[in-house]
């Protein structure tokens, strides 16, 4: 009996690694096909028409705001219908003395708006009838329109507790300040 330690393929058969592997492991059964991994979700549809309409509306709003915007030398003046015109004239001449003052110099628009709201609420709560708000003339800004002056004008016109306001006389700040008459506390 002869012992062979290693069985070699017949010399005429080519060595096929895959065939040798299949012979070595024996019969196999195929696994069922697995599901494909979930696909990446598609991006949501962008409402481009709505975004364009919104952008156009904002542009139109900005145009409307800047069309009525005050310039550096413009004087502020406003009175409610219930306030006599003579009262506004007296306010322009500085015949009312300001009991409190707020200086908005070096504030950005957001800070100035918050400070102005708080200041007017405080004045109203303490029964103050006339205040001076210094907004500056807006000569140092990048814009043609003074930002703080226009902000003060818009805010004062929309407050129910403001009866009238006018740019201060030259000796009290001129077009860089505004005198404001407030309604009495109820």
């Amino acid at each position: 009996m002869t012992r062979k330690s290693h069985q070699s393929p017949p010399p005429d058969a080519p060595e096929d690694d895959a065939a040798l592997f299949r012979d070595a492991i024996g019969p196999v059964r195929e696994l069922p096909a697995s599901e494909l991994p979930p696909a990446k979700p598609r991006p949501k549809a962008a409402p481009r028409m709505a975004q364009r309409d919104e952008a156009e509306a904002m542009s139109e709003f900005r145009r409307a705001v800047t069309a009525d915007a005050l310039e550096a030398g413009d004087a502020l003046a406003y009175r409610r219908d219930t306030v006599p015109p003579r009262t506004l004239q007296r306010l322009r001449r500085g015949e009312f003395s300001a009991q409190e003052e707020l200086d908005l110099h070096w504030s950005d628009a957001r800070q100035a708006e918050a400070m102005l709201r708080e200041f007017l609420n405080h004045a109203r709560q303490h029964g103050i009838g006339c205040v001076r708000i210094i907004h500056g003339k807006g000569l140092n800004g990048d814009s043609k329109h003074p930002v703080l002056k226009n902000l003060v004008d818009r805010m004062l016109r929309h407050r129910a507790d403001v009866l009238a306001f006018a740019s201060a006389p030259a000796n009290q700040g001129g077009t860089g300040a505004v005198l404001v008459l407030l309604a009495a506390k109820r």
Side-chain angles (χ1 to χ4, degrees):
M1 192 168 163
T2 60
R3 286 176 81 188
K4 289 189 178 178
S5 65
H6 180 23
Q7 208 174 21
S8 59
D12 55 344
E15 244 182 74
D16 180 14
D17 288 340
L20 286 174
F21 178 76
R22 280 191 294 279
D23 286 344
I25 62 166
V28 296
R29 73 178 159 86
E30 193 172 328
L31 293 175
S34 64
E35 293 182 30
L36 293 175
K40 232 181 184 181
R42 289 182 166 216
K44 291 183 179 179
R48 282 186 260 147
M49 292 297 285
Q51 289 171 342
R52 188 178 74 204
D53 290 346
E54 184 72 22
E56 286 177 10
M58 285 300 291
S59 174
E60 190 62 32
F61 176 75
R62 285 191 187 104
R63 259 195 303 278
V65 167
T66 56
D68 297 336
L70 298 162
E71 294 189 16
D74 293 345
L76 300 178
Y78 171 82
R79 72 174 174 82
R80 296 222 176 270
D81 293 336
T82 57
V83 176
R86 176 102 173 96
T87 303
L88 183 60
Q89 291 173 347
R90 291 181 59 212
L91 189 61
R92 282 182 177 153
R93 283 189 241 135
E95 293 179 17
F96 292 92
S97 69
Q99 297 161 296
E100 290 287 331
E101 183 175 275
L102 172 67
D103 190 347
L104 298 175
H105 277 110
W106 311 113
S107 303
D108 65 18
R110 182 174 290 148
Q111 291 171 327
E113 183 176 354
M115 290 169 56
L116 183 56
R117 286 183 199 284
E118 184 179 333
F119 175 72
L120 292 173
N121 288 337
H122 172 79
R124 178 93 189 275
Q125 291 299 319
H126 290 85
I128 296 171
C130 183
V131 295
R132 180 176 26 254
I133 300 166
I134 302 170
H135 49 71
K137 295 186 179 183
L139 300 174
N140 297 328
D142 298 334
S143 173
K144 175 184 172 186
H145 305 288
V147 175
L148 295 180
K149 184 175 193 172
N150 281 288
L151 172 77
V152 168
D153 181 59
R154 276 193 313 274
M155 284 185 67
L156 293 177
R157 287 177 188 270
H158 290 97
R159 288 190 60 107
D161 57 350
V162 173
L163 299 175
F165 63 87
S167 288
N171 64 345
Q172 294 183 37
T175 57
V178 62
L179 294 173
V180 183
L181 285 181
L182 299 172
K185 182 181 173 184
R186 293 183 204 176

